[in-house]
Amino acid sequence: MSDSPIGDSDGYGCPLTIRMTIKDFISERLEKVIEKLSFDNGEVDFVLFYERGVKWKSQSTWEDMANWWSLPYSVNRRLSKNEAIVRVQFFDSIAPLWIKASLIRKGLVGLELSQKLRKRKEILHHHGGSDLAPFTIEEPYLVFGKTEERKRLLEYLTLVLNSSQDLDDYFNGNPPKKDEIKKCIEKNFEHYLFFPNNYNHREKGKPGYSERIIRKNTNTQSFQLINQDFKILKESNCLDDVVNIYLQEELEYKIGQIEIEK
């Protein structure tokens, strides 16, 4: 696969003179999945899951951008149908090679996504021209209960470092605890060297901006609290030490409108 998703040509499903966008393609196929799962009025939510049992590995530039930088904002939390359609297609031209659709419970469908992202023609070829491709319908095997939902919303909250009406409503009366936020930050360092991991794309004065950053020093295996000029404010071999300062001095135990319980 080329690193660039540009320049696809159709070979399945419609004349070459008609260009169906990948979004339209996914939307059309997802409607068929909903129909086959017998949701009479189409009112159903979705949860996206990473490909199970496979560690992230570099595929191509475009796939890396999707898997490492886009999908973390979309996986493991409840999405509407329209949100799901938008979040399983990338760069207006590629989508997962396969998407396993499985009923979690009435009104909630899980979608497990392949790490491999391909153009429409390649997806159809892989699935032999199936009218559901890239989707397949599987027996129930995914779990997303109250415990999973809270855990994933906490991860999302620490990812965006901002609240929204949905997050405000969810955490109202049951706010995130200090230890829960610390675990989410710790998990971030399983894949990234900075927290927030995309700090350099956040504008000062805008929601989610962080004046202080936590950096993992891979040479010394230590953690540093630094400012935007990379001046070291604190360094420790214990991540917990640095996170405690970050929570107190940067977040002031608050994310958006959501208070963090000490």
Side-chain angles (χ1 to χ4, degrees):
M1 176 182 167
S2 167
D3 270 3
S4 172
I6 308 301
D8 190 19
S9 61
D10 268 324
Y12 296 84
C14 64
L16 288 172
T17 54
I18 299 175
R19 304 306 294 279
M20 174 182 280
T21 67
I22 201 75
K23 182 179 178 181
D24 290 340
F25 174 59
I26 292 293
S27 178
E28 174 190 274
R29 300 309 173 96
L30 188 58
E31 289 289 354
K32 292 180 180 180
V33 169
I34 292 171
E35 189 176 311
K36 287 184 178 293
L37 289 172
S38 301
F39 291 103
D40 298 332
N41 57 11
E43 291 183 5
V44 56
D45 287 338
F46 296 87
V47 182
L48 310 185
F49 295 87
Y50 285 117
E51 183 176 348
R52 290 159 58 91
V54 175
K55 291 184 177 180
W56 285 354
K57 55 184 178 181
S58 181
Q59 305 282 342
S60 72
T61 301
W62 295 99
E63 287 175 314
D64 287 351
M65 288 172 64
N67 288 321
W68 288 79
W69 301 107
S70 296
L71 274 179
Y73 291 87
S74 305
V75 294
N76 298 316
R77 63 188 185 89
R78 192 183 296 264
L79 301 172
S80 69
K81 179 180 71 176
N82 289 337
E83 287 175 323
I85 290 168
V86 169
R87 293 170 188 274
V88 300
Q89 52 87 30
F90 306 91
F91 316 116
D92 299 323
S93 60
I94 53 178
L97 182 62
W98 51 258
I99 303 174
K100 297 178 181 179
S102 174
L103 184 63
I104 296 175
R105 56 181 174 274
K106 185 176 180 180
L108 187 64
V109 172
L111 301 176
E112 182 187 349
L113 311 181
S114 169
Q115 285 187 23
K116 296 178 181 178
L117 305 175
R118 298 293 186 266
K119 301 172 188 177
R120 177 177 179 271
K121 181 179 179 180
E122 294 169 293
I123 291 170
L124 286 169
H125 178 75
H126 178 79
H127 291 269
S130 166
D131 65 353
L132 288 183
F135 296 95
T136 61
I137 296 178
E138 309 289 331
E139 292 295 321
Y141 70 101
L142 296 167
V143 176
F144 191 73
K146 291 182 179 179
T147 300
E148 288 83 13
E149 183 162 19
R150 180 176 175 85
K151 182 178 179 181
R152 302 314 180 187
L153 282 175
L154 284 162
E155 290 175 359
Y156 179 69
L157 180 64
T158 53
L159 187 65
V160 297
L161 285 181
N162 189 33
S163 61
S164 61
Q165 190 60 56
D166 288 348
L167 290 171
D168 292 346
D169 291 344
Y170 181 87
F171 288 109
N172 183 30
N174 192 9
K177 296 176 175 57
K178 176 182 175 181
D179 284 346
E180 289 179 316
I181 297 297
K182 287 167 71 173
K183 285 180 181 178
C184 292
I185 295 176
E186 182 179 351
K187 183 176 179 181
N188 170 86
F189 286 103
E190 293 176 7
H191 303 293
Y192 304 99
L193 296 179
F194 294 91
F195 178 86
N197 57 55
N198 64 348
Y199 72 93
N200 53 333
H201 294 291
R202 303 187 182 203
E203 294 183 43
K204 189 171 184 177
K206 296 291 182 68
Y209 177 79
S210 185
E211 187 64 43
R212 299 170 183 83
I213 304 151
I214 302 175
R215 176 175 63 181
K216 181 177 181 179
N217 186 324
T218 55
N219 293 323
T220 63
Q221 293 302 308
S222 63
F223 294 91
Q224 300 167 334
L225 183 67
I226 60 177
N227 62 18
Q228 288 283 342
D229 295 324
F230 274 50
K231 178 183 177 182
I232 297 175
L233 308 174
K234 170 71 177 179
E235 184 166 12
S236 175
N237 290 326
C238 178
L239 176 60
D240 203 56
D241 293 340
V242 178
V243 172
N244 282 333
I245 298 173
Y246 183 85
L247 290 176
Q248 179 179 343
E249 297 185 4
E250 178 64 32
L251 296 184
E252 297 179 343
Y253 295 102
K254 190 175 183 179
I255 299 177
Q257 301 303 310
I258 300 172
E259 300 282 350
I260 299 172
E261 188 177 287
K262 300 178 186 178

